[in-house]
Amino acid sequence: MPLPLPRLSNVVDLAMSAAGTAVGTVAAVAALPGRVVRLVDGAELLLARATVAVDAVDETIAEVRAAGAAAAGVVAEAERTSGAAAALVAEAARTSSGAAALVAEAQRTSGAAAALVAEAQRTSGAAAELVTEAARTSSEAAAVVVRAAQTAGTADGLISAYEPSLQRFVDNLSADEVTAAIRMVDELPRLAHHLNTDVMPILATLDRVGPDIHELLNVTRDLRQAIIGIPGFGMLRRRGAASETDGES
């Protein structure tokens, strides 16, 4: 089978593309010397910078060595300081143990102090109640003192007024009379019992007995008048009076 022939336009495009590529390649080759020159200049500059950097590195190495010597001194000082720090740590540990013991003791003391404060508060409350009660008692005592003073004044006045009569009564009071008064006082409970059970009920009925007695008096008066009206009663009365007179003589 025969192969188809390419179109003329495609061949022209390929030719133009190849020509362009060739022209670009020629231009790049022509620009290479300039690039090489620039690269050489850059390499010289880099070499100069590298030389400066090497010198700086040497100086840095010297400084590092000096710093190493100083660091060795610092390390030795640090070791000595570490020993002192270890001693300080041990001392701090002992101090911490003592501080823990002190804290525990302080806590126990704080608990005891809290108990004492609570007891003091209860005691203060009781004391306040006692003070209030004492204030009331003092006020009542002051009132009693005032009343006692008034009573004493009244008693002084009564004693002054009745002192002569009382002195006379005491002077004329014999031992038998004192004994009788004591016996009478001993009989007062029984007397009070009889008064309450016997005499007081009778007195309570006097308001009802009074009209009956009045009526009895009226009847007695009527009877006397009737007796006086009997004929010959006057003579009998005179004879009775005469008989009483002879009997007395």
Side-chain angles (χ1 to χ4, degrees):
M1 184 178 179
L3 296 172
L5 295 176
R7 293 181 181 181
L8 181 60
S9 59
N10 293 333
V11 172
V12 172
D13 291 335
L14 290 173
M16 291 297 294
S17 176
T21 303
V23 171
T25 303
V26 171
V29 170
L32 285 175
R35 291 181 178 178
V36 170
V37 171
R38 288 194 296 274
L39 290 173
V40 170
D41 293 336
E44 290 179 351
L45 180 60
L46 291 174
L47 181 59
R49 291 181 178 178
T51 302
V52 174
V54 169
D55 294 336
V57 168
D58 291 337
E59 292 178 357
T60 303
I61 289 171
E63 292 178 356
V64 167
R65 288 175 179 175
V74 171
V75 169
E77 184 66 24
E79 289 177 352
R80 290 192 297 272
T81 305
S82 177
L88 289 175
V89 168
E91 183 65 24
R94 290 192 296 272
T95 305
S96 177
S97 299
L102 289 175
V103 168
E105 184 65 24
Q107 289 177 350
R108 290 193 294 272
T109 305
S110 177
L116 288 175
V117 168
E119 184 64 25
Q121 289 177 349
R122 290 193 294 271
T123 304
S124 177
E129 293 179 358
L130 288 176
V131 168
T132 303
E133 184 65 24
R136 288 196 298 268
T137 304
S138 177
S139 299
E140 294 175 358
V144 170
V145 169
V146 172
R147 289 196 297 271
Q150 294 173 353
T151 304
T154 303
D156 290 337
L158 291 175
I159 290 172
S160 299
Y162 292 102
E163 184 176 5
S165 300
L166 291 174
Q167 187 64 41
R168 181 181 176 184
F169 177 78
V170 171
D171 292 339
N172 295 323
L173 189 65
S174 65
D176 294 335
E177 290 173 344
V178 172
T179 303
I182 293 172
R183 291 176 180 174
M184 185 178 66
V185 171
D186 293 335
E187 293 294 331
L188 285 178
R190 190 169 64 178
L191 178 62
H193 175 72
H194 287 296
L195 285 174
N196 291 326
T197 57
D198 299 332
V199 178
M200 295 302 294
I202 294 174
L203 293 177
T205 60
L206 289 179
D207 57 343
R208 296 192 300 272
V209 175
D212 296 337
I213 294 174
H214 183 70
E215 185 177 357
L216 180 60
L217 291 175
N218 292 330
V219 172
T220 303
R221 188 181 301 109
D222 294 339
L223 181 60
R224 179 175 176 275
Q225 291 177 358
I227 291 172
I228 293 173
I230 295 175
F233 180 76
M235 183 181 64
L236 293 175
R237 186 176 182 183
R238 286 192 296 273
R239 286 182 179 179
S243 299
E244 289 179 358
T245 304
D246 293 337
E248 290 177 357
S249 58

